[in-house]
Amino acid sequence: MNGLKDALYQNLIAEDRYKYLLDGLATTVKITLMAIVIGIIIGFIIAIIRSTYDKTGKLKLLNALCKVYLTVIRGTPAVVQLLVMYYIVLMSVRSKLLVAGIAFGINSGAYVAEIVRGGIMSIDNGQFEAGRSVGFNYIQTMIYIILPQVFKSVLPALANEVICLLKETSVCGYIALQDLTKGGDIIRSQTYNPYVPLLSVAAIYLILVMFISYLVTLLERRLRSSERR
């Protein structure tokens, strides 16, 4: 027991080393939130373009560009995309946090797009006809009738993508960005004790994932209760 107390003290309390984890956690959360916003925007836009092409045959050029984007992003590792964005595409951007947020947002957008597209394609064509019958054009039908239904059906898959995105940010250390994982590794390099800092990092990630899952469960319950009214 004394050995555990000493290990906790040396790795977390001594020299305020716990601040490495707190600072890293803040960085991880910021990157994740930024990437979620970018990913959802990109994903929904691409999903609408691709589903429009699948249903009407329109937007052929945009659909082809979207397919190239999806192929490249889903066919290359996230860490490679991060390095390309940092050293090549956004080399003039000084904020590593911004670069990481954009890189992971673009990566996430490809997966969100396919999730949402699958949801749109699962909606019966009668819903589109109903929208037109009340005077909506295609875009209005998509916004007011189709997407609200899609969001409910793909919410679990979107939540899973958010969780995967959170864990993928652990590679930010490749561009010398001190995220949560890097913070734990810094402590390990100072104390030469891998157990406490790395297990602490794992525990924090687990708590974050459980919190996200809890929020999604609450949202699903609220959506179900709104359907019954």
Side-chain angles (χ1 to χ4, degrees):
M1 184 63 69
N2 289 332
L4 177 60
K5 289 182 179 180
D6 290 341
L8 291 173
Y9 178 81
Q10 289 297 326
N11 286 273
L12 301 178
I13 307 301
E15 301 182 16
D16 293 334
R17 290 194 175 100
Y18 68 92
K19 291 183 178 179
Y20 288 114
L21 297 181
L22 291 181
D23 293 341
L25 174 60
T27 299
T28 293
V29 171
K30 290 176 183 177
I31 294 172
T32 302
L33 291 177
M34 193 186 311
I36 288 172
V37 173
I38 296 173
I40 287 177
I41 293 173
I42 293 176
F44 271 79
I45 291 174
I46 290 179
I48 292 173
I49 291 173
R50 295 209 63 211
S51 60
T52 298
Y53 174 80
D54 291 339
K55 288 182 175 293
T56 67
K58 298 179 180 179
L59 307 178
K60 185 175 182 180
L61 178 59
L62 288 177
N63 180 67
L65 292 175
C66 289
K67 290 180 71 174
V68 171
Y69 161 78
L70 293 173
T71 300
V72 172
I73 296 300
R74 293 192 299 169
T76 55
V79 64
V80 174
Q81 295 168 23
L82 176 64
L83 293 172
V84 169
M85 293 296 287
Y86 181 68
Y87 288 109
I88 302 175
V89 180
L90 298 176
M91 60 183 299
S92 61
V93 178
R94 295 183 178 180
S95 174
K96 295 178 181 179
L97 188 69
L98 179 60
V99 172
I102 293 174
F104 286 112
I106 292 174
N107 176 271
S108 180
Y111 298 95
V112 172
E114 289 301 276
I115 291 172
V116 176
R117 186 177 76 92
I120 293 175
M121 297 304 294
S122 68
I123 300 296
D124 188 85
N125 285 330
Q127 298 288 331
F128 289 90
E129 296 172 0
R132 296 192 185 103
S133 68
V134 297
F136 288 165
N137 58 33
Y138 184 84
I139 297 298
Q140 290 174 322
T141 301
M142 187 69 72
I143 293 174
Y144 296 112
I145 297 178
I146 305 301
L147 290 183
Q149 298 179 62
V150 169
F151 179 75
K152 293 179 182 179
S153 64
V154 303
L155 181 58
L158 286 177
N160 185 64
E161 169 57 22
V162 171
I163 291 173
C164 291
L165 178 61
L166 170 68
K167 293 185 290 185
E168 280 182 351
T169 61
S170 61
V171 300
C172 286
Y174 278 92
I175 60 172
L177 188 60
Q178 186 184 319
D179 68 320
L180 179 57
T181 302
K182 185 64 175 179
D185 194 52
I186 291 173
I187 297 175
R188 179 201 58 78
S189 67
Q190 293 179 352
T191 62
Y192 302 102
N193 182 339
Y195 299 105
V196 173
L198 297 183
L199 290 177
S200 297
V201 168
I204 294 173
Y205 274 116
L206 179 60
I207 292 171
L208 289 174
V209 169
M210 292 174 65
F211 179 68
I212 293 172
S213 300
Y214 174 72
L215 292 180
V216 172
T217 300
L218 290 181
L219 182 56
E220 286 180 324
R221 289 176 182 173
R222 186 163 186 174
L223 291 174
R224 284 196 297 267
S225 64
S226 65
E227 290 178 349
R228 297 168 185 165
R229 295 174 183 174

